[in-house]
Amino acid sequence: MDKPSTLLVHFDKGSAAMANEIKADLEGSDVAAKVEAMKRAVMLLLNGETLPTLFITIVRYVLPSEDHTIQKLLLLYLEIIDKRDAAGRVLPEMILICQNLRNNLQHPNEYIRGVTLRFLCRLSEPEVLEPLVPSILENLEHRHHFIRRHALSAISAIYRLPQGDQLIPDAPELVERALASEQDASARRNAFVMLCLCGTERAVAYLLSNAERVMEWPDLLQMAAVDLIRKVCRPPNRADKGRYIKIIFSLRSSPSTAVLYECAGAIVSLSSAPTAVRAAAETYCQLLSSQSDNNVRLILLDRLNELHTSHRDVMVDVVMDVLRALASPNLDVKRKVLDLVLDLLTLRNVEEVVLYLKKEVVKTQSGELEKGGEYRQMLVEAIHACAVEYPEVAGSVVHLLMDFLGDTNVAAAVDVVLFVREIIETNPKLCVSMIQRLSDTFYQIRASRVCSIALWILGEYSLSLSEVESAIATIKQCLGDLPFFTISEEGESADSSKPAQPVVNSVTVSSRRPVVLADGTYATQSAATEAISTPSVTPGSLASTLNLRSLILSGDFFLAAVVAYTLTKLVLRLEEVQPSKVEANKACTGALLVMTSILQLGLSSYLPQPIDNDSYDRIVLCVRLLCNTGDDVRRIWLQSCRQSFAKMLAEKQFRETEEMRAKAQISHAQPDDLIDFYHLKSRKGMSQLELEDEVQDDLKAATGGFTKETDDANRLNRILQLTGFSDPVYAEAFVTVHHYDIVLDVTVVNRTKETLQNLCLELATMGDLKLVDRPQNYTLAPESSKQVRANIKVSSTETGVIFGNIVYETSNVMERSVVVLNDIHIDIMDYISPATCADVTFRNMWAEFEWENKVAVNTVIQDEKKFLNHVIKSTNMKCLTPP
């Protein structure tokens, strides 16, 4: 939860006494006192004070100072103060500083010259800049590169002003001459950027004339060259695209990682040819393996993901390079890598991918990796997804993964057993070996949920005589000797120290809580600690083999019911495959003994909590079934369960396919779009890359790849009118809701013939909304408009309201004018979007949070399916359960 934190900052507001104190320090001869006084003056100005009487004092006592710190603070002061009056004219006292700035531009000290030139980049008053132009141009030929660098920046800034071409009409020509003779990297970059902004043709000519030497340029200049190519190589100006791409390809061998990243982005923006896309992908993969910063890796993976959405066929070739990023210790990076790789699987690369993931699983066993359990769970999920999509690879990994059924990380063990359950159904060839392996490793399982699923697999897929007998023996071995406890003659539980007793367990139940079962009903789960002892076996070895016994004696009667259910199914199958009726009856008797022992334990006072009704009914049903079996019941138990599971898997596969189709980009070509057939074009002088590009462009034109699906109607729905048409200031807002962030883009239009000063959008919120930053003040010319952006944080799922005013001043009216805005209602539905969630994750969240809330609903809908669809549509959610 975002909670407001209060920070008290001590700040003295400007007062007449403070202004006099600053004035006195500035008039003195102490340099340190002057520095402190200038800092205080700058801070007061930044906090909204005006200090009008200070300017003349600074002109008299601070301007002549030779101290570098004071000069730098003076330039900061001059940058902050208002240089124009209410009518927009330059203040006459500004002329006083012109002479000082000219002297600084001719100062023998390079630092003073440099910082003054840098200050001039921030001046926008032509009246102040005009007398300084000759001195600025002289500095272009100064011997020190620090001054030349800032002189080029100043010329660029002045030339880009509205009247800049009148102040320095030949600026591009001067800068081009300076660039030709310049040696300093930063100065060359500043000159080249100036030409890119103000004389693009000159910059292009310089770049093409030096195309062979671009690799020798410093990285700053190479970055500027890539930016220029992106700027000039947009449709329809794509005549020299082949030459530009050749330059970018040569820059891919630059030692600078920043240049490599920009090159990859530029290649993709210029060309959609497979060769170009492959080059960009290889560059991103190279950076991915060389960079150690996790944030950089995440950004690179985002770029690769963007390539995958539009050029999947090309990205398939670099999937192994992407996998190498799993060496990163960061789980977010690993998760992103696995998600990307799973989207790039094909029949050609799936075996390599699974082999690599298999090696990573083995690495997690060493215990050296931090958060190895979570990483192993992610790998298991990834291998599961590979095996579901390409069942032929399952055999190479399933036996390795089954070693993790007893993993201490319960979530990872659950993922493994779910994987085994799905593969054993979809891969009948592996059934025999997997059942054998499951019987051998069953005693290692420690988690109740994993035991339940493993028992179901044993009961459902043990088909031959040897498999059924092995499964029954495994279950009996894990249950131990029966009964679970004995009663002495005095009616008390037998003591564990008596040698006659085979096994005695003492139990301490520590907690009980309700859990939600898969059908939405509730059951009570007990978490308990138990101490097990026996005369002939040591406690450690007993606990390691009698896993079912330990869990049942801890009060887990749901698992006990699963044991009864599995034994019933195994006995029914044994009756079908066992020719000897005697052996079948013997197995049936053994199963009945287990079930009656469980019922005896549940109904006794030996455990603090008795057996729950659901588990009791289920076990009693199994007992009755074994005593009297009909053909219909036998068919239900031995066939229908498997059929239901197969249907569930088919439904899951169908839903995943539908989701993939929904995500796929659908493009449409307009009937009157032009298509150029490149086979009929002249190919003279075209490189292979340009030919590929032509093909890709033609394909996109034919299939509608250039047509973007616009959402204009929805955008218009999100525009809210905030003021009336007759108000002096018209405002409307475009509301964008993204998760827990709300962005308001407010368009403000001055409908009067006057300049509006200090125009401010004042917003306030009601409910759990919080304004992140206060919009600044603006000056709005007559009949002009301004875009104002406000960011708002949502801290809960309650409906909130945003309200406020627009406040402004005019030169005629002394008081501030206020226009009240319409309220903006932010509805909870704006930040709820349909999503999917794994069943296990959903149940964990449901158990963790108090979500349940009963609400009485009045409705005319009679059909529950229609009502469910109505709720889904109204709440903007998604139903996770298959129909």
Side-chain angles (χ1 to χ4, degrees), residues 753-770:
K753 301 289 185 185
E754 297 177 316
T755 301
L756 306 183
Q757 296 170 346
N758 293 328
L759 183 139
C760 178
L761 176 68
E762 294 182 346
L763 294 175
T765 58
M766 194 167 69
D768 285 327
L769 303 175
K770 187 170 64 178

Side-chain angles (χ1 to χ4, degrees), residues 39-89:
K39 285 182 180 177
R40 283 159 66 198
V42 168
M43 286 298 293
L44 287 167
L45 286 165
L46 287 172
N47 280 288
E49 304 295 331
T50 51
L51 305 178
T53 59
L54 215 57
F55 183 78
I56 299 301
T57 305
I58 286 174
V59 169
R60 287 181 60 192
Y61 296 100
V62 179
L63 276 184
S65 174
E66 292 292 323
D67 184 78
H68 289 185
T69 308
I70 290 177
Q71 283 296 325
K72 189 169 182 179
L73 288 166
L74 170 65
L75 294 174
L76 278 175
Y77 170 81
L78 294 175
E79 187 182 334
I80 296 165
I81 58 171
D82 289 328
K83 302 171 191 68
R84 295 183 181 274
D85 58 16
R89 294 186 294 270

Side-chain angles (χ1 to χ4, degrees), residues 133 136-141 147-160 164 168-204 206 210 221:
V133 167
I136 295 169
L137 297 178
E138 284 173 18
N139 283 305
L140 273 179
E141 298 174 1
I147 293 169
R148 296 198 303 274
R149 182 191 311 164
H150 290 302
L152 286 163
S153 296
I155 291 169
S156 175
I158 292 168
Y159 191 76
R160 279 182 285 134
I168 317 177
D170 56 344
E173 189 181 336
L174 291 169
V175 171
E176 188 178 20
R177 283 207 301 269
L179 176 61
S181 58
E182 186 56 69
Q183 298 300 316
D184 177 65
S186 295
R188 287 173 73 188
R189 183 254 175 202
N190 288 357
F192 189 74
V193 168
M194 189 273 172
L195 290 180
C196 293
L197 295 170
C198 309
T200 308
E201 297 83 2
R202 293 175 187 270
V204 168
Y206 180 78
N210 290 277
L221 200 53

Side-chain angles (χ1 to χ4, degrees), residues 282-475:
E282 286 169 359
T283 305
Y284 284 138
C285 289
Q286 178 189 335
L287 291 171
L288 193 61
S289 56
S290 64
Q291 295 301 301
S292 57
D293 189 298
N294 290 325
N295 293 319
V296 173
R297 282 174 167 165
L298 289 169
I299 290 167
L300 289 166
L301 286 167
D302 283 339
R303 297 293 83 78
L304 286 167
N305 215 6
E306 288 167 10
L307 283 182
H308 144 252
T309 54
S310 49
H311 306 281
R312 185 180 185 276
D313 295 343
V314 179
M315 283 294 295
V316 164
D317 298 334
V318 297
V319 68
M320 295 310 293
D321 297 325
V322 176
L323 266 179
R324 291 193 188 95
L326 287 176
S328 167
N330 185 273
L331 282 181
D332 292 328
V333 173
K334 291 177 188 288
R335 188 175 290 110
K336 217 157 197 174
V337 168
L338 290 172
D339 289 344
L340 178 57
V341 166
L342 290 177
D343 285 340
L344 296 173
L345 287 180
T346 63
L347 271 171
R348 282 184 301 153
N349 62 25
V350 68
E351 286 188 11
E352 277 186 287
V353 170
V354 169
L355 186 63
Y356 195 97
L357 296 178
K358 194 174 167 182
K359 289 177 183 174
E360 289 294 309
V361 171
V362 174
K363 282 183 193 174
T364 62
Q365 288 178 287
S366 63
E368 296 172 6
L369 290 174
E370 189 183 349
K371 297 185 178 174
E374 290 180 54
Y375 180 38
R376 184 157 59 245
Q377 185 183 347
M378 285 160 51
L379 289 169
V380 170
E381 289 172 2
I383 293 172
H384 186 172
C386 294
V388 168
E389 197 168 346
Y390 299 96
E392 55 272 12
V393 300
S396 61
V397 288
V398 71
H399 295 295
L400 170 72
L401 292 183
M402 286 176 80
D403 289 338
F404 297 104
L405 285 172
D407 199 331
T408 50
N409 181 351
V410 178
V414 169
D415 283 333
V416 171
V417 79
L418 291 174
F419 170 59
V420 170
R421 186 179 71 176
E422 194 163 339
I423 294 306
I424 207 168
E425 170 61 32
T426 53
N427 269 34
K429 293 176 185 176
L430 299 172
C431 185
V432 176
S433 61
M434 288 174 71
I435 286 294
Q436 180 62 45
R437 187 60 181 265
L438 186 58
S439 296
D440 294 342
T441 55
F442 186 83
Y443 71 93
Q444 298 175 355
I445 300 172
R446 290 284 165 269
S448 172
R449 179 167 165 76
V450 181
C451 275
S452 301
I453 300 170
L455 285 167
W456 186 87
I457 295 169
L458 285 174
E460 198 62 54
Y461 294 96
S462 297
L463 302 175
S464 67
L465 177 60
S466 59
E467 288 171 353
V468 173
E469 288 176 340
S470 173
I472 293 174
T474 300
I475 294 170

